[in-house]
Amino acid sequence: IGKLNTYMIILSISLFFLLPVFTLLVSLFYIRGPHNYTEHLLHVFHVQTAFFIILGILLIFDKIFNTGIGLGVFFIIFPYYLYRSMKNFYRQGWFKTTSKFIVLNLLFIVLSIIGFVIISFISFLV
């Protein structure tokens, strides 16, 4: 459990510093839309905040009731929330939203791994 908490802290720090980079990718995907970089950044921060709130609530639920279903429920609730958030914010059709949802999530995973490696390396040096 101690290592898991350390990894979660490293991952959250790396995500925080890489969100502007991810926002740049998002703004390139929606370059023809009416939103500027700052609006994209606010949306990305909003989604990340929802990510940590939902995850935190479900992990607390797991601890209180001694269950192991919180993470499973999270992987159902959060992707749905993210998809609906993208659909509502960018106001595109189902096909465009779904295709951009898939590609942006893959890019987000790659950025998360890169950030995790960089922050782990930096923390190892310190």
Side-chain angles (χ1 to χ4, degrees):
I1 298 266
K3 285 186 179 184
L4 180 63
N5 289 337
T6 304
Y7 292 142
M8 291 298 287
I9 291 170
I10 290 172
L11 187 60
S12 64
I13 291 170
S14 65
L15 289 177
F16 179 77
F17 285 112
L18 288 175
L19 283 183
V21 175
F22 181 68
T23 302
L24 181 63
L25 293 173
V26 170
S27 62
L28 291 174
F29 269 77
Y30 292 98
I31 198 158
R32 287 191 244 161
H35 303 292
N36 60 28
Y37 178 82
T38 306
E39 292 168 329
H40 290 292
L41 184 63
L42 286 173
H43 182 254
V44 168
F45 274 129
H46 165 80
V47 168
Q48 280 306 116
T49 302
F51 173 89
F52 285 111
I53 289 172
I54 294 169
L55 182 61
I57 289 171
L58 291 171
L59 289 178
I60 290 170
F61 176 83
D62 276 352
K63 289 286 185 187
I64 290 173
F65 296 107
N66 199 21
T67 66
I69 64 169
L71 220 49
V73 172
F74 172 78
F75 285 117
I76 294 169
I77 291 175
F78 182 71
Y80 175 77
Y81 177 82
L82 176 59
Y83 181 80
R84 291 300 303 172
S85 173
M86 287 175 65
K87 182 130 178 54
N88 290 336
F89 185 74
Y90 295 111
R91 304 223 184 265
Q92 289 189 331
W94 295 101
F95 180 75
K96 280 186 177 182
T97 302
T98 302
S99 59
K100 290 179 182 183
F101 172 83
I102 292 168
V103 173
L104 285 172
N105 275 306
L106 291 173
L107 288 173
F108 184 77
I109 290 169
V110 169
L111 274 178
S112 299
I113 292 169
I114 291 169
F116 181 80
V117 169
I118 290 171
I119 297 296
S120 296
F121 183 72
I122 289 171
S123 66
F124 179 74
L125 290 177
V126 174

